[in-house]
């Protein structure tokens, strides 16, 4: 059984509009790892073309059906496993990218730090990796573990059954710095907690629980000089 067999029908169609803001303005040659059906990069491409700016987007996608859809939206789509030679293909190796996108991808990998190290060689001197990574300290996960004694895998989300690695804000930072990157920004996205009770809890604990409100973290990192 393939990893993709566990996924709900909409999984490969998610456009991730909240991540568009993290793509640097200077990016003109982009690589997206795990592009799904190409919705996210297609939107980035549409915005840039409306601005009259030239952009090329290459993508790697494991799911064959999704890759076949994405190839009509993007410039080049390689259907392959990122940990099984995809980065060694001629179409990828002959390019240098000023932005590499990993939207909810690294947590699915056996050795994400090794992949990040390999991606460094594909970046231009000013290039960046833009990634989103689920937050295992998200309040719903913590509640289930502490109060319900539960750790139940699901078809998507933080406890996605195909996730092999789990991260907090601190371990995301460590993942990138130990893989040879300098972090430019690391912020929480998709907050699902609000109200005076949570605000009071943060005040009383000096923001100790601030990060539990975020479903994911978005990171922008460049390779360390």
């Amino acid at each position: 059984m393939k990893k993709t067999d566990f996924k709900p029908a909409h999984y490969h169609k998610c456009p991730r509009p909240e991540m568009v803001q993290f793509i640097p303005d200077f990016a003109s040659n982009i690589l997206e790892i795990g592009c799904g059906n190409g919705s996210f990069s297609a939107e980035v491409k549409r915005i840039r073309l409306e601005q009259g700016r030239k952009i090329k987007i290459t993508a790697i996608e494991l799911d064959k059906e999704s890759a076949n859809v994405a190839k009509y939206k993007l410039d080049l789509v390689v259907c392959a496993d990122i940990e099984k030679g995809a980065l060694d293909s001629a179409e990828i190796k002959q390019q240098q990218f000023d932005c590499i996108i990993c939207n909810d991808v690294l947590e699915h990998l056996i050795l994400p730090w090794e992949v990040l190290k390999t991606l460094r060689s594909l970046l231009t001197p000013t290039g960046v990796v833009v990634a989103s990574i689920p937050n295992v300290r998200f309040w719903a996960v913590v509640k289930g573990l502490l109060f319900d004694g539960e750790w139940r895998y699901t078809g998507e989300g933080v406890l996605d059954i195909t996730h092999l690695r789990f991260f907090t804000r601190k371990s995301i930072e460590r993942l990138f710095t130990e893989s040879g990157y300098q972090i430019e920004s690391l912020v929480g996205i998709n907050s699902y907690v609000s109200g005076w009770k949570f605000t009071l809890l943060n005040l009383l604990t000096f923001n100790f629980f601030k990060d539990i409100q975020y479903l994911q973290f978005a990171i922008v990192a460049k390779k360390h000089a």
Side-chain angles (χ1 to χ4, degrees):
M1 185 174 286
K2 302 179 296 182
K3 284 184 178 182
T4 51
D5 293 335
F6 293 100
K7 314 314 297 177
H10 65 268
Y11 185 81
H12 296 283
K13 302 176 183 178
C14 189
R16 301 301 305 277
E18 75 278 14
M19 289 300 296
V20 173
Q21 62 182 308
F22 298 102
I23 307 301
D25 290 338
F26 63 78
S28 60
N29 191 28
I30 294 174
L31 172 65
E32 182 176 9
I33 310 296
C35 70
N37 74 349
S39 295
F40 177 77
S41 282
E43 178 63 8
V44 173
K45 194 175 183 67
R46 182 192 67 79
I47 293 172
R48 296 302 167 87
L49 290 177
E50 282 188 351
Q51 296 170 342
R53 298 162 65 183
K54 186 177 179 182
I55 186 171
K56 176 183 178 183
I57 302 183
T58 301
I60 298 173
E61 172 54 44
L62 177 63
D63 181 64
K64 185 176 181 180
E65 184 177 340
S66 298
N68 286 337
V69 175
K71 70 181 182 181
Y72 293 104
K73 303 176 182 179
L74 310 178
D75 297 282
L76 172 65
V77 178
V78 176
C79 184
D81 189 328
I82 190 67
E83 293 192 279
K84 295 182 179 179
L87 296 176
D88 294 324
S89 64
E91 302 99 320
I92 303 298
K93 290 186 70 174
Q94 67 186 4
Q95 299 191 64
Q96 287 283 290
F97 303 96
D98 39 34
C99 180
I100 299 177
I101 303 165
C102 299
N103 285 339
D104 284 27
V105 168
L106 297 172
E107 65 276 7
H108 292 272
L109 306 182
I110 298 172
L111 299 171
W113 40 87
E114 295 301 327
V115 170
L116 282 173
K117 289 175 183 177
T118 302
L119 292 180
R120 289 178 68 241
S121 65
L122 298 176
L123 286 171
T124 63
T126 58
V128 296
V129 169
V130 173
S132 66
I133 300 178
N135 172 28
V136 77
R137 203 168 180 241
F138 183 54
W139 73 269
V141 178
V142 174
K143 175 182 176 294
L145 186 60
L146 292 182
F147 297 103
D148 303 327
E150 187 61 88
W151 182 275
R152 185 183 294 275
Y153 287 102
T154 56
E156 58 185 332
V158 178
L159 296 183
D160 185 318
I161 195 171
T162 62
H163 287 178
L164 300 179
R165 304 291 178 179
F166 297 90
F167 298 93
T168 63
R169 188 185 195 283
K170 288 182 178 179
S171 58
I172 290 171
E173 184 174 1
R174 187 164 59 249
L175 169 67
F176 277 83
T177 56
E178 292 183 355
S179 298
Y181 289 84
Q182 179 179 331
I183 296 172
E184 295 194 330
S185 68
L186 176 56
V187 298
I189 56 173
N190 295 319
S191 173
Y192 290 92
V193 175
S194 61
W196 69 268
K197 290 182 180 179
F198 182 69
T199 300
L200 179 60
L201 176 64
N202 266 324
L203 287 173
L204 294 175
T205 60
F206 301 97
N207 284 328
F208 181 77
F209 292 103
K210 182 180 180 179
D211 61 338
I212 71 170
Q213 68 185 297
Y214 301 116
L215 183 65
Q216 295 136 311
F217 285 98
I219 184 168
V220 179
K222 63 181 181 181
K223 57 184 178 181
H224 205 283

